[in-house]
Amino acid sequence: YVLSLESVVHIGDEAFLGCGSLTNISMSDGLVFIGRSAFEGCDGKAFTRVTLPDTMVLMGDAAFRGCSNISNVSLGNGLSSISAECFEGCSNLTNLEISDGVAHIGDNAFRNCSGMQFVGLNNVVQVGANSFRSDSGDSSMEFVVIGAGITGLGDSAFSGNPSITEIEAHCPYFDSFE
C-alpha cells in the first residue's frame, strides 16, 4: 500500500514497524521527526526510495533498519546527524545522498548496506563505530571521500569492505608541506 503523510510533522516510535507491504511513502515538507524503528522491517519490494525533506531535524535509532529493498536515500538539509542503526541492513542501498548539514553518523548507521559503491563524507565530523561495516565481506564499496573537518572515525567504521580501492582524504596542508 501507499502511505501519504502530507500533513504529518511527527512520526512516533515503531509507527510502521514491520509493514512489509508498504510500497511508497510520500512525506510532508513539514516533517520534523521520525521516531525509533518507525519504518524498521518495511521490506516490500516496491519500497525503494526514501527522500527526507529539509525540515527534518531528528531521526530515531533504527528508523529504517532492515528495509532491504531501499535503493535510494536522500537526506534533507535540516538533518545534522544520522542516528545509530538508522539504515542498517538496507542491503540494496546503492545511491546515498548525505546533505552538507550532516556532521555525525551514528554507530552501525549503514552497517551491512552492501550495495553502496561510493560514500561521500565531505562535511561529516564524526563517523561512529561499524558505520559502514560489512559483516559478510561481500560489499560493493569501492570509493570513500573523507572531508577535511573529520575529527573522529569509529572502530571498524569500514571493516569488511574488501572492494575499497580508493580513499580520498581532504586534509589541511602544513605551511612547510611541499
Side-chain angles (χ1 to χ4, degrees), residues 5 24 31 53-54 69 77-78 86 89 96 99 129 139 151 153-155 161 164 167 170:
L5 302 170
N24 190 14
L31 184 65
D54 289 340
N69 289 302
N77 290 325
C86 194
L96 172 64
S99 63
S139 170
T151 60
L153 193 57
D155 292 343
N161 288 286
I164 293 178
I167 298 173
H170 296 272

Side-chain angles (χ1 to χ4, degrees), residues 12-116:
D13 293 348
E14 300 179 1
F16 299 98
L17 176 70
C19 291
S21 296
L22 188 63
T23 59
N24 190 14
I25 302 174
S26 177
M27 295 188 192
S28 163
D29 284 338
L31 184 65
V32 175
F33 173 79
I34 294 177
R36 178 186 44 79
S37 299
F39 294 96
E40 182 176 352
C42 294
D43 59 357
K45 291 186 189 267
F47 184 35
T48 60
R49 178 177 301 274
V50 172
T51 301
L52 301 178
D54 289 340
T55 54
M56 273 286 300
V57 294
L58 188 60
M59 198 168 16
D61 291 351
F64 293 93
R65 179 172 51 195
C67 296
S68 59
N69 289 302
I70 290 176
S71 59
N72 293 288
V73 171
S74 179
L75 304 172
N77 290 325
L79 204 59
S80 63
S81 66
I82 300 170
S83 62
E85 303 167 358
C86 194
F87 292 97
E88 181 179 6
C90 295
S91 55
N92 286 312
L93 180 58
T94 56
N95 185 15
L96 172 64
E97 294 177 34
I98 298 176
S99 63
D100 290 343
V102 173
H104 302 277
I105 296 178
D107 294 348
N108 301 301
F110 296 97
R111 186 175 190 159
N112 295 324
C113 292
S114 56
M116 284 193 293

